[in-house]
Amino acid sequence: DAGVIQSPRHEVTEMGQEVTLRCKPISGHNSLFWYRQTMMRGLELLIYFNNNVPIDDSGMPEDRFSAKMPNASFSTLKIQPSEPRDSAVYFCASSFSAQETQYFGPGTRLLVL
Amino acid sequence: ELKVEQNPLFLSMQEGKNYTIYCNYSTTSDRLYWYRQDPGKSLESLFVLLSNGAVKQEGRLMASLDTKARLSTLHITAAVHDLSATYFCAVSGAGSYQLTFGKGTKLSVIP
């Protein structure tokens, strides 16, 4: 299995631009998680999907962030408009079920200038 | 609110030495994970500990869990340079899907 796939791996954008991060979970996994990692706050859960349905988005920082999972093999995290404080590494993780081991993708390093 | 504390946060050790990383958590937990993260890389799952007294070993790493003390340890035996990385413990509350991560322990093994 290829593992969790994320794209792009690196993104540099200017403040105010829209950013879309993409994730393909491991085939057969029904749970998908988006995390953000920063030096100051560590790893934070942004949103959790189960069977393509958003279950918990309480970690989404504000309305500028949105996430979708249109099918079992694809999810997006969108930031619009982006701000410099959004600069971080964004990880997608998937698991066979909600309480199984989460497998992380390689991450997207986002820099907002 | 579940809180997870790791210590130490930074650890520099010589090759061949033994050391232990500690992970304390604040409420009842179903599962405890240890992950490894190399610089600029993703998180790799090392161990999952499910019950009191659980012990798992892989190479020079051994993880244990004491649910009564709400404590897990990651013991490193005869460290080698390849073990240099940041190690995270992550805990899920009882019946919860959500993982709460510690701040991580950055381990540097010096030749």
Side-chain angles (χ1 to χ4, degrees), chain A residues 2-76:
Chain A
V4 176
I5 299 172
Q6 290 186 246
S7 65
R9 297 289 304 276
H10 302 271
E11 177 82 27
V12 180
T13 191
E14 292 186 344
M15 184 173 63
Q17 296 298 305
E18 177 179 297
V19 175
T20 299
L21 312 181
R22 297 173 177 80
C23 174
K24 176 179 169 56
I26 293 172
S27 177
H29 283 191
N30 71 5
S31 297
L32 185 139
F33 306 81
W34 282 99
Y35 289 89
R36 178 170 67 177
Q37 185 178 37
T38 61
M39 290 293 292
M40 290 295 293
R41 300 175 67 89
L43 272 157
E44 304 173 280
L45 177 66
L46 299 177
I47 188 168
Y48 157 55
F49 289 88
N50 185 265
N51 289 321
N52 314 337
V53 176
I55 302 299
D56 181 1
D57 65 355
S58 60
M60 297 284 263
E62 48 199 272
D63 291 346
R64 297 184 298 105
F65 286 69
S66 63
K68 295 182 179 179
M69 192 166 186
N71 57 61
S73 59
F74 184 64
S75 176
T76 59

Side-chain angles (χ1 to χ4, degrees), chain A residues 37 56 99 101-102 104-105 109, chain B residues 31 35 37 40 42 95 97:
Chain A
Q37 185 178 37
D56 181 1
Q99 296 185 334
T101 298
Q102 295 179 24
F104 284 72
R109 291 184 172 274
Chain B
R31 307 176 308 283
Y35 283 87
Q37 185 177 34
S42 185
Y97 57 84

